[in-house]
Amino acid sequence: MRVRAPSPRAVLILLGLLALAAAAGFMTIGLTGRLDFVLPLRATKLAALLLVGYAVAVSTVLFQTVSGNRILTPSIMGLDALYVLIQTVVVFLFGAAAFGAVDARLVFLVEAASMIGFAAVLYRWLFLGARHGLHLLLLAGVIFGVFFRSLSNLLQRMIDPTEFVVLQDRFFASFNTIDRDLLGLTAVIVLLVSVAGWRMRHVFDVLALGRDAAISLGVPHRATVTRVLLMVTVLVSVSTALVGPVTFLGLLVSNLAYQLVRSHRHVLILPAAVLIAWICLVGGQVALERAFGFDTALSIVIEFAGGIVFILLLLRGGLR
Amino acid sequence: MIEISGVSKRYDETVVVDDVSITLPRAGITAVVGPNGAGKSTLLTMIGRLVSASAGRIAVDGLDVATTPGARRLSILRQDNHIVSRLTVRDLVAFGRYPSSKGRLTRDDAAHIERALAYLGLEALAERFLDELSGGQRQRAHVATVLCQDTDYVLLDEPLNNLDMKHARDMMRLVRRMADELGKTIVIVLHDINVAATYADRIVAMRDGRIVRSGPPEAIMTSQALAAIYDMEIEVARIGDRMLAIPY
Ligand SMILES: Nc1ncnc2c1ncn2[C@@H]1O[C@H](COP(=O)(O)OP(=O)(O)O)[C@@H](O)[C@H]1O
Ligand SMILES: [Mg+2]
């Protein structure tokens, strides 16, 4: 008799319960002061955590599906490098005070639109003409990322050190100051992408077989991959514009999901990855803030953990 | 009917398939043979629309493969298949139903899946994950997927790879049954000319990107023809009503 792993359904239920517990803990542990003030504040922050966790998990799994590689994350497309560059350019040109002076919604829209626009141009330009479309696309993403980062570095050197401190804060995801309007806007966009994604849920399974198998099974590969990449880009862009870049979380949760679910079906993998992201983000926040009394960025801890997973995956040769 | 007219494939300056024209009739088995690098896989993948032709036109039943999606008419097994997803044999075979079911399996689809598993003797392995199989077992699972797709045209690129003698023979008998009982048109790349001569109705021989000979096995199984194809001396022996090429 071979020992069977727990069924995907059991895994999902367990993860769901853990996520629920994390959310309950987040809302209730250490409540003091005026509840009508504290609760809405916590609810907003919780919503942001859930939204970002969702976007990061879904975008990473889908990106890995179309690229056929489980140690890549969408950040290889250079989107977060672009985000950092935008922040840097704004501070460089207008000073750190600029972020406070301008309507946050405008900043959000400009940031999200430039990231999506950049990616769309890149996809059209590279993916539609070339022979080895996807690989060339990824390579170009890497190179643009390096270029954006170098340019940011250069500009940061010329920025006033006190302003640079303000700028640096924005390079890590922060859930402490969330604009409620932006939250709503992000939720709507994420919902729209999800509806489109839900209708493609079986196509994802086929795409994961690779280009040739997908084409022989009648999936128009190039068009479908372009569509998935756009969905990924939108998710990454809005989540980054909302809280800042989250790079390694996706790697952590997608690989945990593959390990736990042991199925090829995206209807199982995607929910598992989302739940794991929620447990990490919300549970992590509870642990850091309430249990350890830390007030610092959760994302730094998660990026650290994700980075270690990345290295472990590399060492294990999980390159495929 | 597969009509190939003036088809070429170039990679930069290298011509890999060079102005090939041939018509493969409906039904029966066509074996494609030739030395390594002759362009057999390239030609097959162009028919299977995995690679686009640099020039020329390929039509299946009169429909251009470049413009018609044909997953319900034509299926292809590639020479190398690598899959990242964690799949059981049954999961993989079930994908053969995707073109018609789009992911929602009906009872009819389930019957197709069971039949394909049975045809390839995979029932006992159905719940195994692909990475727990031997190369030959995995190869059979991929063939079962193609069978499960249940298309009129089936392209197979060296399906005997990794198979032992018995499974290779079973596979060729299965291919024969697919042609005879299910009326499928099969184009199969084979690396062993004797296997081709034994099981195929027609042999198409390629060398350096061109078709150098084509015809029934009797026409190919001569020392002269084989020398033209493989550029080496090959003796042909007659045993009963069979012909055997003896290269050593
Ligand atoms: N993607 C590619 N890029 C460049 N050359 C290729 C590519 N695919 C195949 N070739 C070349 O085309 C020739 C024919 O390959 P192939 O069709 O696989 O031959 P066969 O299947 O007959 O052994 C070989 O010389 C091979 O190196
Ligand atoms: Mg070949």
Side-chain angles (χ1 to χ4, degrees), chain A residues 110-124:
Chain A
V110 168
E111 283 169 358
S114 12
M115 283 185 273
I116 296 169
F118 161 72
V121 167
L122 203 61
Y123 298 162
R124 272 210 86 72

Side-chain angles (χ1 to χ4, degrees), chain A residues 130-149:
Chain A
R131 229 194 295 141
H132 292 293
L134 195 56
H135 289 120
L136 192 63
L137 181 65
L138 296 182
L139 193 62
V142 172
I143 291 169
F144 272 107
V146 170
F147 171 69
F148 293 152
R149 249 170 239 125

Side-chain angles (χ1 to χ4, degrees), chain A residues 19-271:
Chain A
L20 211 60
F26 183 87
M27 289 304 290
T28 54
I29 293 177
L31 271 183
T32 47
R34 295 189 47 192
L35 289 191
D36 58 340
F37 176 73
V38 177
L39 278 182
L41 208 63
R42 284 195 181 187
T44 309
K45 197 163 160 183
L46 179 63
L49 287 166
L50 296 182
L51 211 51
V52 169
Y54 179 93
V56 168
V58 172
S59 62
T60 308
V61 169
L62 292 185
F63 189 76
Q64 293 177 343
T65 291
V66 295
S67 63
N69 189 319
R70 292 184 164 180
I71 63 166
L72 291 183
T73 69
S75 68
I76 198 173
M77 300 299 311
L79 290 176
D80 40 6
L82 178 60
Y83 171 83
V84 168
L85 179 63
I86 295 172
Q87 308 289 317
T88 307
V89 168
V90 168
V91 172
F92 181 76
L93 291 179
F94 308 111
F99 285 116
V102 184
D103 189 341
R105 277 165 294 186
L106 186 67
V107 176
F108 173 89
L109 283 177
V110 168
E111 283 169 358
S114 12
M115 283 185 273
I116 296 169
F118 161 72
V121 167
L122 203 61
Y123 298 162
R124 272 210 86 72
W125 177 40
L126 288 172
F127 197 49
L128 295 184
R131 229 194 295 141
H132 292 293
L134 195 56
H135 289 120
L136 192 63
L137 181 65
L138 296 182
L139 193 62
V142 172
I143 291 169
F144 272 107
V146 170
F147 171 69
F148 293 152
R149 249 170 239 125
S150 315
L151 199 59
S152 304
N153 275 336
L154 179 70
L155 292 179
Q156 283 158 18
R157 261 156 236 245
M158 301 192 274
I159 290 175
D160 181 286
T162 51
E163 304 223 304
F164 179 67
V165 174
V166 178
L167 180 63
Q168 207 173 25
D169 248 8
R170 299 181 69 95
F171 295 162
F172 280 101
S174 157
F175 296 90
N176 287 326
T177 47
I178 303 290
D179 184 302
R180 234 173 265 175
D181 291 339
L182 293 187
L183 199 59
L185 187 59
T186 310
V188 170
I189 296 173
V190 167
L191 186 72
L192 289 177
V193 173
S194 301
V195 170
W198 175 250
R199 297 168 62 174
M200 295 174 69
R201 64 196 180 281
H202 298 300
V203 183
F204 298 147
D205 299 346
V206 179
L207 287 178
L209 299 179
R211 173 187 177 274
D212 288 350
I215 295 177
S216 19
L217 292 174
V219 172
H221 185 257
R222 186 160 284 209
T224 314
V225 168
T226 309
R227 195 145 98 211
V228 175
L229 284 178
L230 278 177
M231 286 162 53
V232 167
T233 306
V234 171
L235 289 177
V236 173
S237 302
V238 293
S239 127
T240 306
L242 185 68
V243 297
V246 184
T247 312
F248 279 125
L249 174 68
L251 197 73
L252 184 75
V253 303
S254 66
N255 280 284
L256 275 176
Y258 302 137
Q259 289 296 321
L260 289 177
V261 173
R262 304 211 155 260
S263 163
H264 68 286
R265 298 177 57 206
H266 282 77
V267 275
L268 300 171
I269 295 173
L270 285 170

Side-chain angles (χ1 to χ4, degrees), chain B residues 30 43 46 67 72 77 81 85 89 96 98 102 104 116 132 134 145 157 161 172 189 203 206 212 238:
Chain B
T30 302
L43 184 63
M46 284 193 289
T67 49
R72 302 175 72 165
L77 171 80
N81 298 281
S85 306
V89 172
Y98 182 82
K102 297 285 180 268
R104 277 173 237 257
E132 303 166 350
S134 77
T145 311
D157 197 348
N161 274 357
M172 287 315 298
V189 176
I203 296 180
M206 292 185 72
V212 288
R238 194 171 258 287

